[in-house]
Amino acid sequence: MDTLPWRDRLRTEDELLEQLDAQAEQARRRRAEALKEGAEELGSVYALAKHLGLSWTAVDHAIKKYTKQ
């Protein structure tokens, strides 16, 4: 079995990590939009956080950081 040289393997893995970072960023933005909609539906960030079992500051931070106000 032939193995790629380490430089090629490293380059391939770096490219994969860049793709994964971009996908994670997109997922954070979509999640924040869902959180924002949930807060609107339930009436407040606090109510949403309580419903999800999260701290309201974590929910508020995610919404503010990853959505357009």
Side-chain angles (χ1 to χ4, degrees), residues 45-64:
V45 171
Y46 177 79
L48 173 63
K50 186 174 179 181
H51 177 77
L52 296 174
L54 300 172
S55 72
W56 77 268
T57 53
V59 174
D60 189 57
H61 177 73
I63 291 171
K64 287 180 179 175

Side-chain angles (χ1 to χ4, degrees), residues 1-62:
M1 181 166 103
D2 291 330
T3 305
L4 291 173
W6 69 268
R7 284 181 179 89
D8 293 339
R9 293 192 325 260
L10 184 61
R11 188 177 314 112
T12 299
E13 296 305 324
D14 284 345
E15 289 170 1
L16 178 58
L17 287 171
E18 285 180 26
Q19 292 171 7
L20 291 171
D21 285 342
Q23 290 177 2
E25 180 69 18
Q26 292 169 357
R28 284 188 285 270
R29 292 187 187 286
R30 289 190 305 266
R31 180 179 181 272
E33 286 296 333
L35 288 170
K36 186 176 179 180
E37 289 175 24
E40 290 169 358
E41 180 180 307
L42 295 177
S44 69
V45 171
Y46 177 79
L48 173 63
K50 186 174 179 181
H51 177 77
L52 296 174
L54 300 172
S55 72
W56 77 268
T57 53
V59 174
D60 189 57
H61 177 73

